[in-house]
PDB file of all heavy atoms in Angstrom:
ATOM      1  N   SER A 227     109.932 103.592  83.325  1.00  0.00           N
ATOM      2  CA  SER A 227     110.668 102.674  84.201  1.00  0.00           C
ATOM      3  C   SER A 227     109.747 101.597  84.763  1.00  0.00           C
ATOM      4  O   SER A 227     110.070 100.402  84.733  1.00  0.00           O
ATOM      5  CB  SER A 227     111.303 103.470  85.344  1.00  0.00           C
ATOM      6  OG  SER A 227     111.785 102.608  86.354  1.00  0.00           O
ATOM      7  N   SER A 228     108.596 101.997  85.251  1.00  0.00           N
ATOM      8  CA  SER A 228     107.651 101.062  85.870  1.00  0.00           C
ATOM      9  C   SER A 228     107.021 100.136  84.829  1.00  0.00           C
ATOM     10  O   SER A 228     106.756  98.963  85.117  1.00  0.00           O
ATOM     11  CB  SER A 228     106.564 101.835  86.611  1.00  0.00           C
ATOM     12  OG  SER A 228     107.145 102.718  87.541  1.00  0.00           O
ATOM     13  N   PHE A 229     106.782 100.668  83.637  1.00  0.00           N
ATOM     14  CA  PHE A 229     106.247  99.839  82.547  1.00  0.00           C
ATOM     15  C   PHE A 229     107.177  98.667  82.260  1.00  0.00           C
ATOM     16  O   PHE A 229     106.735  97.519  82.127  1.00  0.00           O
ATOM     17  CB  PHE A 229     106.067 100.690  81.287  1.00  0.00           C
ATOM     18  CG  PHE A 229     105.578  99.916  80.093  1.00  0.00           C
ATOM     19  CD1 PHE A 229     104.214  99.753  79.871  1.00  0.00           C
ATOM     20  CD2 PHE A 229     106.472  99.342  79.203  1.00  0.00           C
ATOM     21  CE1 PHE A 229     103.755  99.030  78.772  1.00  0.00           C
ATOM     22  CE2 PHE A 229     106.028  98.616  78.105  1.00  0.00           C
ATOM     23  CZ  PHE A 229     104.659  98.461  77.888  1.00  0.00           C
ATOM     24  N   LEU A 230     108.473  98.947  82.185  1.00  0.00           N
ATOM     25  CA  LEU A 230     109.452  97.883  81.913  1.00  0.00           C
ATOM     26  C   LEU A 230     109.515  96.885  83.063  1.00  0.00           C
ATOM     27  O   LEU A 230     109.675  95.676  82.840  1.00  0.00           O
ATOM     28  CB  LEU A 230     110.822  98.494  81.659  1.00  0.00           C
ATOM     29  CG  LEU A 230     110.935  99.366  80.404  1.00  0.00           C
ATOM     30  CD1 LEU A 230     112.321  99.993  80.295  1.00  0.00           C
ATOM     31  CD2 LEU A 230     110.619  98.558  79.153  1.00  0.00           C
ATOM     32  N   GLY A 231     109.382  97.377  84.298  1.00  0.00           N
ATOM     33  CA  GLY A 231     109.352  96.472  85.445  1.00  0.00           C
ATOM     34  C   GLY A 231     108.151  95.540  85.398  1.00  0.00           C
ATOM     35  O   GLY A 231     108.269  94.333  85.632  1.00  0.00           O
ATOM     36  N   GLY A 232     106.986  96.093  85.084  1.00  0.00           N
ATOM     37  CA  GLY A 232     105.777  95.274  84.982  1.00  0.00           C
ATOM     38  C   GLY A 232     105.856  94.263  83.859  1.00  0.00           C
ATOM     39  O   GLY A 232     105.387  93.120  83.985  1.00  0.00           O
ATOM     40  N   LEU A 233     106.475  94.662  82.751  1.00  0.00           N
ATOM     41  CA  LEU A 233     106.639  93.760  81.609  1.00  0.00           C
ATOM     42  C   LEU A 233     107.502  92.564  81.985  1.00  0.00           C
ATOM     43  O   LEU A 233     107.155  91.405  81.704  1.00  0.00           O
ATOM     44  CB  LEU A 233     107.289  94.543  80.459  1.00  0.00           C
ATOM     45  CG  LEU A 233     107.081  94.020  79.037  1.00  0.00           C
ATOM     46  CD1 LEU A 233     105.626  94.155  78.629  1.00  0.00           C
ATOM     47  CD2 LEU A 233     107.961  94.813  78.081  1.00  0.00           C
ATOM     48  N   GLY A 234     108.634  92.841  82.627  1.00  0.00           N
ATOM     49  CA  GLY A 234     109.517  91.756  83.047  1.00  0.00           C
ATOM     50  C   GLY A 234     108.863  90.835  84.063  1.00  0.00           C
ATOM     51  O   GLY A 234     108.994  89.605  83.983  1.00  0.00           O
ATOM     52  N   GLY A 235     108.127  91.411  85.010  1.00  0.00           N
ATOM     53  CA  GLY A 235     107.444  90.603  86.019  1.00  0.00           C
ATOM     54  C   GLY A 235     106.391  89.695  85.417  1.00  0.00           C
ATOM     55  O   GLY A 235     106.261  88.524  85.809  1.00  0.00           O
ATOM     56  N   ALA A 236     105.642  90.213  84.443  1.00  0.00           N
ATOM     57  CA  ALA A 236     104.593  89.412  83.799  1.00  0.00           C
ATOM     58  C   ALA A 236     105.183  88.223  83.039  1.00  0.00           C
ATOM     59  O   ALA A 236     104.636  87.117  83.067  1.00  0.00           O
ATOM     60  CB  ALA A 236     103.774  90.292  82.855  1.00  0.00           C
ATOM     61  N   MET A 237     106.321  88.443  82.367  1.00  0.00           N
ATOM     62  CA  MET A 237     106.951  87.347  81.640  1.00  0.00           C
ATOM     63  C   MET A 237     107.493  86.286  82.586  1.00  0.00           C
ATOM     64  O   MET A 237     107.404  85.086  82.311  1.00  0.00           O
ATOM     65  CB  MET A 237     108.093  87.886  80.766  1.00  0.00           C
ATOM     66  CG  MET A 237     107.663  88.382  79.402  1.00  0.00           C
ATOM     67  SD  MET A 237     106.857  87.132  78.364  1.00  0.00           S
ATOM     68  CE  MET A 237     108.117  85.881  78.245  1.00  0.00           C
ATOM     69  N   PHE A 238     108.025  86.699  83.728  1.00  0.00           N
ATOM     70  CA  PHE A 238     108.521  85.739  84.713  1.00  0.00           C
ATOM     71  C   PHE A 238     107.396  84.844  85.211  1.00  0.00           C
ATOM     72  O   PHE A 238     107.585  83.644  85.438  1.00  0.00           O
ATOM     73  CB  PHE A 238     109.152  86.475  85.901  1.00  0.00           C
ATOM     74  CG  PHE A 238     110.654  86.527  85.835  1.00  0.00           C
ATOM     75  CD1 PHE A 238     111.314  87.739  85.718  1.00  0.00           C
ATOM     76  CD2 PHE A 238     111.407  85.368  85.885  1.00  0.00           C
ATOM     77  CE1 PHE A 238     112.698  87.791  85.650  1.00  0.00           C
ATOM     78  CE2 PHE A 238     112.785  85.403  85.812  1.00  0.00           C
ATOM     79  CZ  PHE A 238     113.434  86.624  85.699  1.00  0.00           C
ATOM     80  N   VAL A 239     106.226  85.418  85.400  1.00  0.00           N
ATOM     81  CA  VAL A 239     105.072  84.639  85.868  1.00  0.00           C
ATOM     82  C   VAL A 239     104.691  83.581  84.838  1.00  0.00           C
ATOM     83  O   VAL A 239     104.363  82.448  85.178  1.00  0.00           O
ATOM     84  CB  VAL A 239     103.881  85.570  86.159  1.00  0.00           C
ATOM     85  CG1 VAL A 239     102.601  84.771  86.359  1.00  0.00           C
ATOM     86  CG2 VAL A 239     104.155  86.408  87.406  1.00  0.00           C
TER      87      VAL A 239
END
Side-chain angles (χ1 to χ4, degrees):
S227 168
S228 305
F229 178 88
L230 295 177
L233 203 67
M237 274 300 301
F238 260 116
V239 168

